[in-house]
Amino acid sequence: MRTGSEPMTARSALRARLWLSVWGLVWAIAGTAVFALAGRPGWAAAFGVLWLVVTVDMTMILRHIRQGPHYQPGPDIPPYRPPEHGP
């Protein structure tokens, strides 16, 4: 059932995002280490920044998963109704 409010009430596949973040974290750590050992400080710094971004994203994903069904509802919970009145 579509209500027209899908962009505001869309649900995210948090577990899939978590595993993609784990994959990105592994590659960011490996890239940082490889480029640091190869003597390429610019690339090592770029991968270090990517490592930081992936870690922050993973932290937010885990926070939303732990907050329960409000942010990760199951298929038995209907979509949120849009607000009746504007802000």
Side-chain angles (χ1 to χ4, degrees):
M1 172 179 84
R2 293 192 173 263
T3 63
S5 66
E6 283 80 11
M8 294 177 54
T9 59
R11 299 175 184 170
S12 175
L14 292 175
R15 300 227 187 271
R17 282 182 58 197
L18 176 66
W19 287 111
L20 288 171
S21 290
V22 168
W23 182 251
L25 185 67
V26 168
W27 279 103
I29 292 170
T32 303
V34 167
F35 283 116
L37 292 173
R40 308 284 246 154
W43 282 103
F47 273 87
V49 169
L50 181 62
W51 183 356
L52 177 66
V53 169
V54 170
T55 302
V56 169
D57 184 46
M58 189 181 306
T59 303
M60 293 305 298
I61 292 168
L62 287 171
R63 180 176 175 261
H64 284 183
I65 288 174
R66 286 190 185 121
Q67 284 178 339
H70 179 72
Y71 286 101
Q72 183 65 13
D76 56 330
I77 298 175
Y80 300 120
R81 300 291 306 162
E84 298 294 326
H85 306 290

